[in-house]
Amino acid sequence: MKARQKRMMFIALGLAGVGIAAWLAIGALRGNISYFFSPSQVLAKEAPANAVYRLGGLVVKNSLARQSDGLTVHFDVTDNAQTVKVSYTGILPDLFGEGQGVVTKGRMGAGGVFVAEEVLAKHDESYMPPEVQDTLKTAHAEGVVKMASQDTNLASNPALGNASPGQPGRASGGDSQ
């Protein structure tokens, strides 16, 4: 084997080694990636069905329930637009509570219940996880826009205001004379 062929062989082996190392590193990182989703995104089916991801929002007040085993808890997480039920078995952080920001890591289970493997709570009264804060701001902005568009539609077409039965102070069906 000539020297030139040996060098080409070493270069090819080196490139193959770097490629294998990169493939292994990317595979290991891919297994540890868990994206953040809000309850609205989860219910809109934007979250992966069979993958681990993080769900964040506020724990709904009066939704925390412990099972008789003492370790399994159920609670609701909301972004003020949608709510997802969460089940967790384990020891909750000391700062976990109703009305507080929370980030859970897990996957969607049967019956639309998010089965958490890990629960993270905020660390002081003024801290809010950035993802949760962004989600709440987005949900609030979308709610304001939605309400404004509904008000605009009602103002431009008074007949639409009569189409919603059950609202106090509004006649139904438009046959009021």
Side-chain angles (χ1 to χ4, degrees), residues 97-122:
E98 295 176 335
Q100 303 293 322
V102 66
V103 175
T104 61
K105 183 179 176 183
R107 63 182 68 216
M108 189 58 75
V113 176
F114 185 80
V115 179
E117 300 168 356
E118 182 178 12
V119 173
L120 304 171
K122 67 178 193 172

Side-chain angles (χ1 to χ4, degrees), residues 12 14 27 30 32 53 60 62 99 109 111 126 133-134 140 155 158 172 175 177:
R30 192 175 292 162
N32 290 330
Y53 58 91
V60 176
N62 300 323
S126 63
Q133 192 171 18
D134 292 342
H140 177 72
S172 63
D175 51 337
Q177 297 176 3

Side-chain angles (χ1 to χ4, degrees), residues 12-28:
L13 288 174
L15 288 175
V18 168
I20 290 171
W23 178 70
L24 290 173
I26 290 172

Side-chain angles (χ1 to χ4, degrees), residues 68-93:
S68 59
D69 64 0
L71 286 178
T72 303
V73 293
H74 300 277
F75 54 93
D76 296 342
V77 174
T78 185
D79 60 355
N80 294 328
Q82 297 289 331
T83 302
V84 173
K85 294 191 175 300
V86 177
S87 174
Y88 175 68
T89 301
I91 299 172
L92 290 171

Side-chain angles (χ1 to χ4, degrees), residues 131-155:
E131 297 96 347
V132 173
Q133 192 171 18
D134 292 342
T135 300
L136 292 174
K137 282 182 184 175
T138 303
H140 177 72
E142 289 173 357
V144 168
V145 169
K146 186 176 176 183
M147 288 180 62
S149 67
Q150 287 175 349
D151 288 344
T152 303
N153 288 340
L154 289 175

